[in-house]
Structures are given as structure tokens and as C-alpha cells.
Amino acid sequence: MPQVTEISHPLVQSHLSRLRDTSTAPAEFRLLIKRLATILTLEATRDLATREIEVTTPLSRMTGRALATTTGLVPILRAGLGMVESALELLPDSEVWHLGLYRDEATAQPVEYYCKLPDTKPVDVALILDPMLATGGSAISALQALQAWGVPSLKLLSVIASSAGIKAVQTQFPSAELYVCAIDPELNSRKFIVPGLGDAGDRTFNTLR
Ligand code: PRP
């Protein structure tokens, strides 16, 4: 799986264990998602192009660097919203385009309920934000929308991905780059990631009943 980067950092592992724990309440859950999203964004932006700029410090002039690419953040509603703030902190000039997708409970197929990408020039690089990649259906739907917009570089940032979801995305979008904190082995009969962390949207927004 050459296009998948799994960040096996000790801080990721420890934050991820707290995130998975069923006793972690929504306030801490949101904080942990933010921290992990910061790390994922750092890793996913490692290869962004830069250009030279002149900088005047209080002491002298020097040559610095500035980003030479336009970036777009694409959170998949709802759970992806929890990752936006962290990514935007690091990429403050990014455009943010929301995609509304939910999984039909019976079929596990993604249902689109919001997509308003413009028909103007696309960004150079899009970072799709969604903490969970289960069957891959939602990610593939997002990738299709961004490909139709004409985005040349597509990167998917997920906290936990299943092996099956990664394979599904790679089959349809071999050029997409995936950045994940962990790859979990299984999907259960309801297509939930196992061991996973449950429903990220419900745990983020305290709607678990
Ligand atoms: C979850 C998750 C992903 C999707 C992953 O969202 O946040 O968007 O499911 O599953 P897939 O890879 O099989 O498509 P959900 O549908 O629960 O919506 P929510 O974020 O509104 O809770």
C-alpha cells in the first residue's frame, strides 16, 4: 500500500488509546480528535511546494519560504468537522468546502445531502477530513466530487481506517494519498470498524443514545 502513511508515533498511539476508550466523554473526545488532526495535517502537508520570499527581520534581510500551492479543506459532515479547526490553524489561507454524507444504516452506502463545490478554478491540493474510513464508501464519494471539480492532488486524512476501506479507496483512486493514525483489521456485520472507536460523529457531538 504505497500511498498510505500510518503515523506510528508514540503521541499518536497514546492519544488514540484515550480516543478509543468507551469511557472518554465528548469533551475529551473532541480535544483528542483535534490533536490527532494536527499531527495528520502536518504529515499530509510535508510535500507542499514552496517558493522563495524576501523577509526583513529586525536585524537583516533574508530569504525565507512561503507556500506556493492553494489548499482546500474538505470535512465530511458530521464527524469531519472536528478536524477542521486544527487543519485551519496550520493552513490559515485554506478554502473550506463542506460535504454532507451519511451512511444508510441498512445498506452502509453513503447518501449525499450537501455538496456545493464551486465551478471556478479548483484548489491545487485538497485535504479530505473524516476521522473514520470504514467501507470507504463515503471517502470514495468525496474523492469523486473533488475529482469532478478538477483537483489535481487528493489527500485523505483519517484517524482510523479499516484495511478493507483502504483497499476500496486505492482500487478506485490509486493516486489519492491516505494519512491515518491506525489501520484496524476488521469491519463487523454493521460495517463498523473493529476495534475502532464507535461512531465518531455521535461521540463528537454527544448524540449517542
Ligand atoms: C461515518 C464516518 C464516515 C463514514 C465512514 O459517518 O464519519 O463519514 O461513516 O464509513 P464508510 O467508510 O463506510 O463510508 P456517519 O455516516 O456515521 O455520519 P456522521 O458523521 O454524521 O455520524
Side-chain angles (χ1 to χ4, degrees):
M1 297 181 184
Q3 299 278 0
V4 182
T5 303
E6 183 180 9
I7 308 173
S8 55
H9 191 289
L11 299 185
V12 168
Q13 289 167 342
S14 71
H15 291 315
L16 194 51
S17 295
R18 287 292 308 152
L19 190 74
R20 289 181 188 274
D21 196 314
T22 191
S23 71
T24 298
E28 186 185 355
F29 189 91
R30 289 189 290 269
L31 191 64
L32 292 161
I33 287 281
K34 280 189 195 171
R35 288 181 189 153
L36 293 168
T38 297
I39 296 168
L40 284 166
T41 305
L42 267 181
E43 194 62 36
T45 51
R46 191 181 280 281
D47 65 347
L48 290 192
T50 57
R51 61 183 166 79
E52 287 189 354
I53 54 165
E54 286 303 307
V55 181
T56 307
T57 80
L59 300 175
S60 74
R61 287 179 68 76
M62 62 165 285
T63 303
R65 304 203 70 82
L67 285 182
T69 39
T70 58
T71 54
L73 306 179
V74 186
I76 299 182
L77 309 180
R78 294 173 298 165
L81 287 176
M83 301 171 71
V84 176
E85 200 180 308
S86 302
L88 209 44
E89 275 291 321
L90 295 177
L91 294 164
D93 296 326
S94 271
E95 300 176 14
V96 183
W97 297 100
H98 299 81
L99 288 183
L101 294 163
Y102 72 87
R103 272 194 344 177
D104 181 286
E105 283 192 10
T107 64
Q109 292 300 308
V111 180
E112 185 181 290
Y113 60 92
Y114 185 82
C115 178
K116 236 180 146 189
L117 294 171
D119 49 19
T120 47
K121 187 179 183 302
V123 291
D124 299 322
V125 182
L127 273 57
I128 300 170
L129 309 175
D130 192 334
M132 307 301 282
L133 177 71
T135 65
S138 304
I140 288 168
S141 179
L143 286 161
Q144 284 167 340
L146 293 167
Q147 189 180 58
W149 186 24
V151 180
S153 173
L154 299 168
K155 297 172 185 255
L156 176 65
L157 282 59
S158 288
V159 173
I160 300 181
S162 76
S163 307
I166 289 174
K167 201 178 274 182
V169 169
Q170 287 188 316
T171 302
Q172 292 217 34
F173 286 90
S175 64
E177 295 171 27
L178 277 69
Y179 296 87
V180 304
C181 296
I183 300 174
D184 280 10
E186 284 177 53
L187 293 175
N188 68 11
S189 58
R190 293 174 57 216
K191 305 294 183 195
F192 271 68
I193 301 174
V194 181
L197 51 72
D199 187 313
D202 282 335
R203 293 191 67 183
T204 298
F205 294 109
N206 199 16
T207 52
L208 199 57
R209 283 168 177 264

